[in-house]
PDB file of all heavy atoms in Angstrom:
ATOM      1  N   ALA B  26     -48.672  20.979 -92.305  1.00 32.00           N
ATOM      2  CA  ALA B  26     -48.637  22.446 -92.343  1.00 32.00           C
ATOM      3  C   ALA B  26     -49.937  23.008 -92.884  1.00 32.00           C
ATOM      4  O   ALA B  26     -50.475  23.984 -92.375  1.00 32.00           O
ATOM      5  CB  ALA B  26     -47.461  22.909 -93.204  1.00 32.00           C
ATOM      6  N   MET B  27     -50.458  22.391 -93.938  1.00 33.00           N
ATOM      7  CA  MET B  27     -51.736  22.853 -94.474  1.00 33.00           C
ATOM      8  C   MET B  27     -52.846  22.620 -93.478  1.00 33.00           C
ATOM      9  O   MET B  27     -53.751  23.413 -93.327  1.00 33.00           O
ATOM     10  CB  MET B  27     -52.056  22.113 -95.773  1.00 33.00           C
ATOM     11  CG  MET B  27     -51.217  22.536 -96.944  1.00 33.00           C
ATOM     12  SD  MET B  27     -51.741  21.678 -98.419  1.00 33.00           S
ATOM     13  CE  MET B  27     -53.376  22.380 -98.642  1.00 33.00           C
ATOM     14  N   MET B  28     -52.772  21.470 -92.783  1.00 31.00           N
ATOM     15  CA  MET B  28     -53.802  21.149 -91.815  1.00 31.00           C
ATOM     16  C   MET B  28     -53.893  22.202 -90.733  1.00 31.00           C
ATOM     17  O   MET B  28     -54.973  22.515 -90.244  1.00 31.00           O
ATOM     18  CB  MET B  28     -53.496  19.779 -91.198  1.00 31.00           C
ATOM     19  CG  MET B  28     -54.386  19.422 -90.053  1.00 31.00           C
ATOM     20  SD  MET B  28     -53.572  18.917 -88.560  1.00 31.00           S
ATOM     21  CE  MET B  28     -51.995  19.607 -88.564  1.00 31.00           C
ATOM     22  N   ALA B  29     -52.737  22.804 -90.368  1.00 30.00           N
ATOM     23  CA  ALA B  29     -52.760  23.835 -89.337  1.00 30.00           C
ATOM     24  C   ALA B  29     -53.392  25.118 -89.834  1.00 30.00           C
ATOM     25  O   ALA B  29     -53.959  25.877 -89.059  1.00 30.00           O
ATOM     26  CB  ALA B  29     -51.329  24.124 -88.873  1.00 30.00           C
ATOM     27  N   ALA B  30     -53.298  25.359 -91.158  1.00 32.00           N
ATOM     28  CA  ALA B  30     -53.780  26.626 -91.695  1.00 32.00           C
ATOM     29  C   ALA B  30     -55.228  26.578 -92.146  1.00 32.00           C
ATOM     30  O   ALA B  30     -55.884  27.597 -92.237  1.00 32.00           O
ATOM     31  CB  ALA B  30     -52.903  27.037 -92.887  1.00 32.00           C
ATOM     32  N   VAL B  31     -55.731  25.391 -92.445  1.00 32.00           N
ATOM     33  CA  VAL B  31     -57.060  25.295 -93.022  1.00 32.00           C
ATOM     34  C   VAL B  31     -57.894  24.303 -92.230  1.00 32.00           C
ATOM     35  O   VAL B  31     -57.495  23.182 -92.007  1.00 32.00           O
ATOM     36  CB  VAL B  31     -56.982  24.828 -94.498  1.00 32.00           C
ATOM     37  CG1 VAL B  31     -58.368  24.755 -95.096  1.00 32.00           C
ATOM     38  CG2 VAL B  31     -56.116  25.776 -95.308  1.00 32.00           C
ATOM     39  N   ASP B  32     -59.072  24.720 -91.841  1.00 31.00           N
ATOM     40  CA  ASP B  32     -60.006  23.830 -91.161  1.00 31.00           C
ATOM     41  C   ASP B  32     -60.892  23.193 -92.200  1.00 31.00           C
ATOM     42  O   ASP B  32     -61.680  23.842 -92.829  1.00 31.00           O
ATOM     43  CB  ASP B  32     -60.853  24.650 -90.171  1.00 31.00           C
ATOM     44  CG  ASP B  32     -61.918  23.804 -89.520  1.00 31.00           C
ATOM     45  OD1 ASP B  32     -61.697  22.598 -89.382  1.00 31.00           O
ATOM     46  OD2 ASP B  32     -62.953  24.354 -89.164  1.00 31.00           O
ATOM     47  N   ARG B  33     -60.707  21.867 -92.438  1.00 29.00           N
ATOM     48  CA  ARG B  33     -61.453  21.244 -93.516  1.00 29.00           C
ATOM     49  C   ARG B  33     -62.322  20.103 -93.026  1.00 29.00           C
ATOM     50  O   ARG B  33     -62.912  20.161 -91.990  1.00 29.00           O
ATOM     51  CB  ARG B  33     -60.497  20.760 -94.583  1.00 29.00           C
ATOM     52  CG  ARG B  33     -59.548  21.855 -95.038  1.00 29.00           C
ATOM     53  CD  ARG B  33     -58.961  21.514 -96.346  1.00 29.00           C
ATOM     54  NE  ARG B  33     -57.669  22.067 -96.478  1.00 29.00           N
ATOM     55  CZ  ARG B  33     -57.218  22.670 -97.541  1.00 29.00           C
ATOM     56  NH1 ARG B  33     -57.954  22.821 -98.580  1.00 29.00           N
ATOM     57  NH2 ARG B  33     -56.011  23.120 -97.572  1.00 29.00           N
ATOM     58  N   ASP B  34     -62.395  18.996 -93.527  1.00 30.00           N
ATOM     59  CA  ASP B  34     -63.284  17.851 -93.611  1.00 30.00           C
ATOM     60  C   ASP B  34     -63.933  17.386 -92.322  1.00 30.00           C
ATOM     61  O   ASP B  34     -63.409  17.579 -91.299  1.00 30.00           O
ATOM     62  CB  ASP B  34     -62.442  16.710 -94.107  1.00 30.00           C
ATOM     63  CG  ASP B  34     -63.067  15.945 -95.199  1.00 30.00           C
ATOM     64  OD1 ASP B  34     -64.156  15.553 -95.088  1.00 30.00           O
ATOM     65  OD2 ASP B  34     -62.454  15.716 -96.167  1.00 30.00           O
ATOM     66  N   SER B  35     -64.979  16.673 -92.366  1.00 31.00           N
ATOM     67  CA  SER B  35     -65.646  16.180 -91.165  1.00 31.00           C
ATOM     68  C   SER B  35     -65.867  14.700 -91.266  1.00 31.00           C
ATOM     69  O   SER B  35     -65.470  14.081 -92.199  1.00 31.00           O
ATOM     70  CB  SER B  35     -66.956  16.918 -90.972  1.00 31.00           C
ATOM     71  OG  SER B  35     -67.720  16.305 -89.997  1.00 31.00           O
ATOM     72  N   GLY B  36     -66.561  14.155 -90.295  1.00 31.00           N
ATOM     73  CA  GLY B  36     -66.642  12.723 -90.281  1.00 31.00           C
ATOM     74  C   GLY B  36     -67.973  12.080 -90.340  1.00 31.00           C
ATOM     75  O   GLY B  36     -68.047  10.919 -90.601  1.00 31.00           O
ATOM     76  N   ALA B  37     -69.064  12.705 -90.097  1.00 31.00           N
ATOM     77  CA  ALA B  37     -70.298  11.969 -89.901  1.00 31.00           C
ATOM     78  C   ALA B  37     -71.263  12.073 -91.060  1.00 31.00           C
ATOM     79  O   ALA B  37     -72.434  11.798 -90.919  1.00 31.00           O
ATOM     80  CB  ALA B  37     -70.982  12.443 -88.627  1.00 31.00           C
ATOM     81  N   GLY B  38     -70.782  12.498 -92.243  1.00 35.00           N
ATOM     82  CA  GLY B  38     -71.683  12.676 -93.365  1.00 35.00           C
ATOM     83  C   GLY B  38     -72.207  11.356 -93.878  1.00 35.00           C
ATOM     84  O   GLY B  38     -71.477  10.383 -93.988  1.00 35.00           O
ATOM     85  N   PRO B  39     -73.471  11.270 -94.225  1.00 32.00           N
ATOM     86  CA  PRO B  39     -74.051  10.015 -94.669  1.00 32.00           C
ATOM     87  C   PRO B  39     -73.612   9.602 -96.053  1.00 32.00           C
ATOM     88  O   PRO B  39     -73.858   8.483 -96.453  1.00 32.00           O
ATOM     89  CB  PRO B  39     -75.560  10.313 -94.648  1.00 32.00           C
ATOM     90  CG  PRO B  39     -75.656  11.781 -94.867  1.00 32.00           C
ATOM     91  CD  PRO B  39     -74.460  12.355 -94.168  1.00 32.00           C
ATOM     92  N   ALA B  40     -72.994  10.523 -96.794  1.00 33.00           N
ATOM     93  CA  ALA B  40     -72.602  10.177 -98.165  1.00 33.00           C
ATOM     94  C   ALA B  40     -71.279   9.452 -98.228  1.00 33.00           C
ATOM     95  O   ALA B  40     -70.801   9.135 -99.303  1.00 33.00           O
ATOM     96  CB  ALA B  40     -72.525  11.437 -99.015  1.00 33.00           C
ATOM     97  N   MET B  41     -70.662   9.169 -97.096  1.00 32.00           N
ATOM     98  CA  MET B  41     -69.358   8.510 -97.085  1.00 32.00           C
ATOM     99  C   MET B  41     -69.518   7.087 -97.590  1.00 32.00           C
ATOM    100  O   MET B  41     -70.319   6.325 -97.076  1.00 32.00           O
ATOM    101  CB  MET B  41     -68.817   8.484 -95.654  1.00 32.00           C
ATOM    102  CG  MET B  41     -67.359   8.136 -95.582  1.00 32.00           C
ATOM    103  SD  MET B  41     -66.372   9.440 -96.304  1.00 32.00           S
ATOM    104  CE  MET B  41     -64.761   8.869 -95.834  1.00 32.00           C
ATOM    105  N   MET B  42     -68.760   6.716 -98.607  1.00 31.00           N
ATOM    106  CA  MET B  42     -68.896   5.384 -99.172  1.00 31.00           C
ATOM    107  C   MET B  42     -68.001   4.360 -98.488  1.00 31.00           C
ATOM    108  O   MET B  42     -68.246   3.177 -98.559  1.00 31.00           O
ATOM    109  CB  MET B  42     -68.565   5.414-100.683  1.00 31.00           C
ATOM    110  CG  MET B  42     -69.511   6.286-101.476  1.00 31.00           C
ATOM    111  SD  MET B  42     -71.203   5.679-101.409  1.00 31.00           S
ATOM    112  CE  MET B  42     -71.908   6.821-100.222  1.00 31.00           C
ATOM    113  N   ALA B  43     -66.923   4.836 -97.835  1.00 29.00           N
ATOM    114  CA  ALA B  43     -66.036   3.936 -97.119  1.00 29.00           C
ATOM    115  C   ALA B  43     -65.309   4.740 -96.074  1.00 29.00           C
ATOM    116  O   ALA B  43     -65.071   5.908 -96.247  1.00 29.00           O
ATOM    117  CB  ALA B  43     -65.033   3.282 -98.074  1.00 29.00           C
ATOM    118  N   ALA B  44     -64.962   4.117 -94.944  1.00 28.00           N
ATOM    119  CA  ALA B  44     -64.410   4.852 -93.811  1.00 28.00           C
ATOM    120  C   ALA B  44     -63.146   5.575 -94.186  1.00 28.00           C
ATOM    121  O   ALA B  44     -62.292   5.056 -94.866  1.00 28.00           O
ATOM    122  CB  ALA B  44     -64.116   3.869 -92.673  1.00 28.00           C
ATOM    123  N   GLY B  45     -63.028   6.841 -93.684  1.00 30.00           N
ATOM    124  CA  GLY B  45     -61.796   7.602 -93.780  1.00 30.00           C
ATOM    125  C   GLY B  45     -61.474   8.158 -95.137  1.00 30.00           C
ATOM    126  O   GLY B  45     -60.447   8.765 -95.314  1.00 30.00           O
ATOM    127  N   GLY B  46     -62.290   7.947 -96.142  1.00 31.00           N
ATOM    128  CA  GLY B  46     -62.033   8.611 -97.409  1.00 31.00           C
ATOM    129  C   GLY B  46     -61.805   7.688 -98.579  1.00 31.00           C
ATOM    130  O   GLY B  46     -61.492   8.139 -99.663  1.00 31.00           O
ATOM    131  N   ALA B  47     -61.931   6.365 -98.434  1.00 31.00           N
ATOM    132  CA  ALA B  47     -61.772   5.489 -99.586  1.00 31.00           C
ATOM    133  C   ALA B  47     -63.084   5.488-100.340  1.00 31.00           C
ATOM    134  O   ALA B  47     -63.979   4.715-100.087  1.00 31.00           O
ATOM    135  CB  ALA B  47     -61.407   4.068 -99.135  1.00 31.00           C
ATOM    136  N   MET B  48     -63.186   6.437-101.277  1.00 32.00           N
ATOM    137  CA  MET B  48     -64.448   6.646-101.965  1.00 32.00           C
ATOM    138  C   MET B  48     -64.455   5.852-103.271  1.00 32.00           C
ATOM    139  O   MET B  48     -63.432   5.567-103.848  1.00 32.00           O
ATOM    140  CB  MET B  48     -64.631   8.139-102.270  1.00 32.00           C
ATOM    141  CG  MET B  48     -64.385   9.056-101.092  1.00 32.00           C
ATOM    142  SD  MET B  48     -65.640   8.930 -99.835  1.00 32.00           S
ATOM    143  CE  MET B  48     -66.946   9.898-100.572  1.00 32.00           C
ATOM    144  N   ARG B  49     -65.649   5.519-103.765  1.00 30.00           N
ATOM    145  CA  ARG B  49     -65.749   4.822-105.038  1.00 30.00           C
ATOM    146  C   ARG B  49     -66.426   5.721-106.059  1.00 30.00           C
ATOM    147  O   ARG B  49     -67.225   6.575-105.725  1.00 30.00           O
ATOM    148  CB  ARG B  49     -66.547   3.529-104.889  1.00 30.00           C
ATOM    149  CG  ARG B  49     -68.003   3.751-104.470  1.00 30.00           C
ATOM    150  CD  ARG B  49     -68.815   2.465-104.559  1.00 30.00           C
ATOM    151  NE  ARG B  49     -70.164   2.640-104.068  1.00 30.00           N
ATOM    152  CZ  ARG B  49     -71.159   3.135-104.779  1.00 30.00           C
ATOM    153  NH1 ARG B  49     -70.939   3.552-106.006  1.00 30.00           N
ATOM    154  NH2 ARG B  49     -72.368   3.257-104.265  1.00 30.00           N
ATOM    155  N   MET B  50     -66.120   5.484-107.300  1.00 35.00           N
ATOM    156  CA  MET B  50     -66.804   6.198-108.368  1.00 35.00           C
ATOM    157  C   MET B  50     -68.189   5.602-108.550  1.00 35.00           C
ATOM    158  O   MET B  50     -68.392   4.400-108.405  1.00 35.00           O
ATOM    159  CB  MET B  50     -66.026   6.064-109.686  1.00 35.00           C
ATOM    160  CG  MET B  50     -64.696   6.795-109.675  1.00 35.00           C
ATOM    161  SD  MET B  50     -64.897   8.574-109.640  1.00 35.00           S
ATOM    162  CE  MET B  50     -65.522   8.851-111.283  1.00 35.00           C
ATOM    163  N   ALA B  51     -69.153   6.467-108.861  1.00 36.00           N
ATOM    164  CA  ALA B  51     -70.494   5.971-109.117  1.00 36.00           C
ATOM    165  C   ALA B  51     -70.461   5.073-110.337  1.00 36.00           C
ATOM    166  O   ALA B  51     -69.837   5.381-111.334  1.00 36.00           O
ATOM    167  CB  ALA B  51     -71.433   7.139-109.335  1.00 36.00           C
ATOM    168  N   GLY B  52     -71.165   3.965-110.285  1.00 38.00           N
ATOM    169  CA  GLY B  52     -70.995   2.959-111.316  1.00 38.00           C
ATOM    170  C   GLY B  52     -72.224   2.645-112.115  1.00 38.00           C
ATOM    171  O   GLY B  52     -72.490   1.492-112.399  1.00 38.00           O
ATOM    172  N   GLY B  53     -73.005   3.592-112.504  1.00 41.00           N
ATOM    173  CA  GLY B  53     -74.091   3.324-113.419  1.00 41.00           C
ATOM    174  C   GLY B  53     -75.276   2.672-112.767  1.00 41.00           C
ATOM    175  O   GLY B  53     -75.553   1.490-112.988  1.00 41.00           O
ATOM    176  N   PRO B  54     -76.016   3.358-111.896  1.00 41.00           N
ATOM    177  CA  PRO B  54     -77.127   2.736-111.216  1.00 41.00           C
ATOM    178  C   PRO B  54     -78.248   2.391-112.180  1.00 41.00           C
ATOM    179  O   PRO B  54     -78.458   3.066-113.189  1.00 41.00           O
ATOM    180  CB  PRO B  54     -77.580   3.822-110.233  1.00 41.00           C
ATOM    181  CG  PRO B  54     -77.186   5.105-110.874  1.00 41.00           C
ATOM    182  CD  PRO B  54     -75.921   4.803-111.590  1.00 41.00           C
ATOM    183  N   SER B  55     -78.976   1.347-111.898  1.00 44.00           N
ATOM    184  CA  SER B  55     -80.139   0.983-112.684  1.00 44.00           C
ATOM    185  C   SER B  55     -81.217   2.040-112.530  1.00 44.00           C
ATOM    186  O   SER B  55     -81.420   2.584-111.457  1.00 44.00           O
ATOM    187  CB  SER B  55     -80.670  -0.375-112.209  1.00 44.00           C
ATOM    188  OG  SER B  55     -81.956  -0.603-112.724  1.00 44.00           O
ATOM    189  N   ARG B  56     -81.934   2.305-113.606  1.00 58.00           N
ATOM    190  CA  ARG B  56     -83.013   3.276-113.525  1.00 58.00           C
ATOM    191  C   ARG B  56     -84.141   2.731-112.673  1.00 58.00           C
ATOM    192  O   ARG B  56     -85.013   3.481-112.249  1.00 58.00           O
ATOM    193  CB  ARG B  56     -83.517   3.622-114.920  1.00 58.00           C
ATOM    194  CG  ARG B  56     -82.476   4.311-115.787  1.00 58.00           C
ATOM    195  CD  ARG B  56     -83.111   5.064-116.917  1.00 58.00           C
ATOM    196  NE  ARG B  56     -83.821   6.229-116.414  1.00 58.00           N
ATOM    197  CZ  ARG B  56     -84.612   6.979-117.159  1.00 58.00           C
ATOM    198  NH1 ARG B  56     -84.828   6.664-118.425  1.00 58.00           N
ATOM    199  NH2 ARG B  56     -85.216   8.034-116.658  1.00 58.00           N
ATOM    200  N   ALA B  57     -84.149   1.432-112.465  1.00 56.00           N
ATOM    201  CA  ALA B  57     -85.230   0.839-111.684  1.00 56.00           C
ATOM    202  C   ALA B  57     -85.015   1.013-110.183  1.00 56.00           C
ATOM    203  O   ALA B  57     -85.973   1.020-109.429  1.00 56.00           O
ATOM    204  CB  ALA B  57     -85.365  -0.642-112.016  1.00 56.00           C
TER     205      ALA B  57
END
């Protein structure tokens, strides 16, 4: 029902960490 009322998300963004929305928390990148 919400999907019919609201046009939301897309698919080709480069920031996607895993297909379809299985995202990970950032884990402390090295400063190097």
Side-chain angles (χ1 to χ4, degrees):
M27 287 183 67
M28 172 232 25
V31 181
D32 175 29
R33 308 199 210 224
D34 227 309
S35 169
M41 194 67 171
M42 298 297 103
M48 311 290 282
R49 63 171 176 83
M50 292 291 290
S55 166
R56 296 201 70 189

